[in-house]
Amino acid sequence: MSKKNVAIILEIIPIISALIAILPFPLGFASKLPSLLIGIAFLLAILGFVFFFIGRKLAKGNTAVFVLGLLDWVATASIIGFYVLAIFLFGL
């Protein structure tokens, strides 16, 4: 497996994790999913910027890795924004 393929796989992890961490809440089946899975997905999504740096180091100059890296930053920001919004909605 080439470094480019490894970088692309690593870049996709936070994007999928952000979807796994956020989607159960508005769809209403958060109680059916194990909270451990949501917690792990949350942790991987919040660390999306780390995957950005790892992917850039493995595949320098690759456009696909760069675009996925930007989506990693969006995944991190979406998780932070979602939980900040949740804090404000609960009035804490």
Side-chain angles (χ1 to χ4, degrees), residues 45-84:
I46 200 87
L47 294 175
F49 66 93
V50 174
F51 288 97
F52 170 77
F53 292 120
I54 293 170
R56 293 286 289 169
K57 186 165 179 87
L58 286 176
K60 296 178 184 170
N62 189 342
T63 306
V65 173
F66 180 73
V67 171
L68 288 172
L70 292 178
L71 290 175
D72 288 345
W73 282 99
V74 170
T76 301
S78 68
I79 292 292
I80 292 171
F82 180 75
Y83 280 94
V84 166

Side-chain angles (χ1 to χ4, degrees), residues 4 6 8 10 16 18-19 21 26 33 40 53 68 70 76 78 88:
K4 181 183 111 177
V6 171
I8 288 175
L10 287 176
I16 294 172
L19 293 175
L33 289 176
I40 291 171
F53 292 120
L68 288 172
L70 292 178
T76 301
S78 68
F88 284 132

